[in-house]
Amino acid sequence: MTNNGRKIKIQVQNLTKRFGDLLVLNNISFNVYEGEFLCIVGPTGCGKTTFLNVLTKLHPATEGDIYIDGEPANPQKHNISFVFQEPSTMPWLTVEQNIRYGLEVKKVPEEEIKKRLNQVMELVGLKDFRNYYPRQLSASMDQRVVIARAFAINPDLLLMDEPYSQLDIKLRYYLEDEVIRIWREMKRTVIFVTHNIEEAVYLAERILILTPKPATIKKEIKVDLPRPRNFADPEFVNIRNQVTEMIKWW
Amino acid sequence: MATRIVAAPGKIRSKNNSLVWLSAASLVVFFIIWYGLVESGIISKALLSPPAEVLTTFISKFSNRAPDGATLGAHFKTSLTLALTGYITAVVVGAPLGLLMGWYKKVDSIVKPIFEVIRPIPPIAWIPLAILWFGIGLPAKAFIIWLSAFVPSVINSYAGIKLTEPVLINMSRTFGATNWETFLRVGVPSALAMVFTGLRLSLSSAWMTLVAAELLAATEGLGYMIQMGRTLARPDVIIVGMLTIGLTGAAMAFILERFEGKLAPWRRS
Ligand SMILES: Nc1ncnc2c1ncn2[C@@H]1O[C@H](COP(=O)(O)OP(=O)(O)OP(=O)(O)O)[C@@H](O)[C@H]1O
Ligand SMILES: [Mg+2]
């Protein structure tokens, strides 16, 4: 099966997750295609973070399975980057050392590390701050370190969990454009979780709308608009309204 | 025994000049009151020596063996060697043990029951047993000091690594790091501040216990010197011993703090 001729990158099959008696994910199945930018929207507490945690094997699935390139997902084998909902720079490492972390864990040769470091630091505009500690950075710069660290390993799969929800609107717009730019430049597969509808429509090639807990997929919406997208474009507004309509229960 | 209160690192350096003056003034007032109490006869000179006499004794004790049998330097060296030997061997074992206990549930289950029983026993309560086992020589004292320094270094490292941000552990794991790698590269550095708190508490605990141990069983050392001062009714010798103990403790804490600043540059402002 293909989507615009693209290969399946991730296959989620009948995924169910319970915490004790609490059913959080209810028999979810879907595919993500190679190089796709997929947004997942759903109400607070519906299980979005839980889904990503199961996907990365931080939590075991109760039932069902997740495959990356046809193999069961395994962080030690697959290149996965996870941008968490909370700040996740290591305060004891400089900007550069933080960005190196994933590369070093993956035992990338030093030459290659240097090359990639320069590339991603250029990309997120942190070159002049390489020796700063996170404490010395603003919230948005800190977030850019996390994004640079995530991109540096050339992830097969990049997971972003409401990465911008803590930031003010101006920074959010800026970093949304930035993540799109980096995504297009590096051609990675991205799953971006948000509960901001406008953000989802602005970023996604495809949006999965989840139901409240226990989460299943309520609807899938393709967003086939040219970039950069315009919030005022009637087409854009149309899709946004369509998504909003789907999730009246907010 | 050891006080559990630790000054936040960095707060000690005050850039404010008026605060420095305040500290100086407080010291001056302290000495004036001391001087006044003794010179006015409110406190007898047989009980408390005036500041000048303490200073004279302090200087003379650098070369003079009288009245307690050794120079201040010899006492100091004996005590310091003993304290550092006990301290270093204790934290070298204690800090890693605490870190491992805090990270690996299995290690925790094995060590915790024994540790929890040993932990509330004050180090000096071990003195009788230590003397029974090792006699009154150096090994007995080293053993007690080792225990006194061991306990805080374990507890603080343990508590520190338990506080590691879960999101950082998850970050490391999603990059594919092994548990051991995550322990070394995320758990340990994130616990470092608390490990250092443990090292400071261990040091003051070791130093205090040392004096207690020497009061009971020694032929040389600062604790022994104080004890001899009492026997010989020489308050000046007692005070010189006490001041040396106090100044050394403060100096060691200071050195450790500088060392921490070197090891943890991300916390410097
Ligand atoms: N480790 C856990 N143990 C027990 N219950 C959990 C655990 N993690 C999450 N839950 C529960 O699962 C449900 C979904 O939580 P989750 O964090 O996945 O929601 P979310 O969609 O990411 O919400 P938000 O938009 O607020 O980030 C919640 O009811 C939560 O209480
Ligand atoms: Mg969440």
Side-chain angles (χ1 to χ4, degrees), chain B residues 122-147:
Chain B
I124 49 170
W126 286 87
I127 290 177
L129 204 53
I131 292 176
L132 211 56
W133 288 349
F134 303 109
I136 40 175
L138 183 133
K141 279 174 286 183
F143 172 69
I144 292 155
I145 289 157
W146 188 88
L147 270 170

Side-chain angles (χ1 to χ4, degrees), chain A residues 49 85 161-162:
Chain A
T49 300
Q85 209 165 348
D161 190 1
E162 304 190 31

Side-chain angles (χ1 to χ4, degrees), chain B:
Chain B
M1 280 282 336
T3 161
R4 295 279 138 124
I5 300 159
V6 190
K11 285 226 175 109
I12 291 153
R13 259 164 282 138
S14 69
K15 280 168 221 137
N16 202 326
N17 250 339
S18 71
L19 290 180
V20 175
W21 281 111
L22 217 54
S23 302
S26 131
L27 273 178
V28 169
V29 170
F30 173 78
F31 281 109
I32 288 173
I33 293 174
W34 177 0
Y35 178 83
L37 284 173
V38 180
E39 290 303 322
S40 65
I42 295 173
I43 296 179
S44 145
K45 279 191 185 168
L47 299 179
L48 181 64
S49 315
E53 192 186 327
V54 169
L55 185 65
T56 318
T57 308
F58 184 74
I59 291 164
S60 81
K61 278 302 290 173
F62 278 107
S63 51
N64 192 350
R65 287 171 192 278
D68 44 84
T71 61
L72 186 59
H75 287 309
F76 175 78
K77 197 172 151 234
T78 305
S79 291
L80 194 68
T81 311
L82 187 54
L84 289 184
T85 310
Y87 171 70
I88 290 167
T89 51
V91 298
V92 160
V93 180
L97 182 66
L99 291 170
L100 289 168
M101 279 169 69
W103 194 263
Y104 290 99
K105 294 217 167 56
K106 272 195 189 139
V107 181
D108 200 16
S109 308
I110 296 168
V111 182
K112 195 111 188 247
I114 306 163
F115 185 72
E116 284 300 322
V117 174
I118 290 178
R119 164 180 134 139
I121 304 172
I124 49 170
W126 286 87
I127 290 177
L129 204 53
I131 292 176
L132 211 56
W133 288 349
F134 303 109
I136 40 175
L138 183 133
K141 279 174 286 183
F143 172 69
I144 292 155
I145 289 157
W146 188 88
L147 270 170
S148 73
F150 179 68
V151 172
S153 67
V154 172
I155 294 171
N156 285 280
S157 308
Y158 177 82
I161 202 159
K162 282 261 183 210
L163 290 174
T164 309
E165 285 285 346
V167 69
L168 297 182
I169 297 172
N170 288 343
M171 179 276 298
S172 180
R173 283 174 58 190
T174 48
F175 275 130
T178 59
N179 192 23
W180 174 245
E181 213 173 352
T182 304
F183 167 73
L184 286 181
R185 301 197 55 179
V186 176
V188 173
S190 111
L192 214 55
M194 284 286 279
V195 171
F196 263 97
T197 301
L199 296 190
R200 274 200 299 272
L201 292 174
S202 289
L203 188 58
S204 69
S205 182
W207 193 234
M208 285 190 244
T209 307
L210 161 106
V211 176
E214 283 180 346
L215 282 174
L216 289 169
T219 52
E220 206 172 70
L222 294 167
Y224 172 77
M225 177 176 156
I226 294 176
Q227 187 66 2
M228 285 304 285
R230 187 189 67 86
T231 312
L232 302 166
R234 284 283 303 273
D236 57 325
V237 173
I238 298 175
I239 294 169
V240 166
M242 286 170 67
L243 280 178
T244 311
I245 290 163
L247 290 172
T248 310
M252 291 193 300
F254 178 76
I255 292 166
L256 207 55
E257 196 181 306
R258 295 302 292 269
F259 183 56
E260 180 180 2
K262 281 252 150 49
L263 249 170
W266 64 90
R267 291 169 61 208
R268 270 193 305 233
S269 39

Side-chain angles (χ1 to χ4, degrees), chain A residues 17-20 22-25 42-53 59 85 161-162 193-195 210 213:
Chain A
K17 175 68 187 176
R18 282 193 197 85
F19 291 107
L22 183 74
L23 179 63
V24 179
L25 304 177
T44 292
C46 80
K48 304 181 296 292
T49 300
T50 303
F51 169 70
L52 296 182
N53 285 340
H59 292 156
Q85 209 165 348
D161 190 1
E162 304 190 31
V193 166
T194 176
H195 56 226
L210 300 184
K213 189 175 60 186

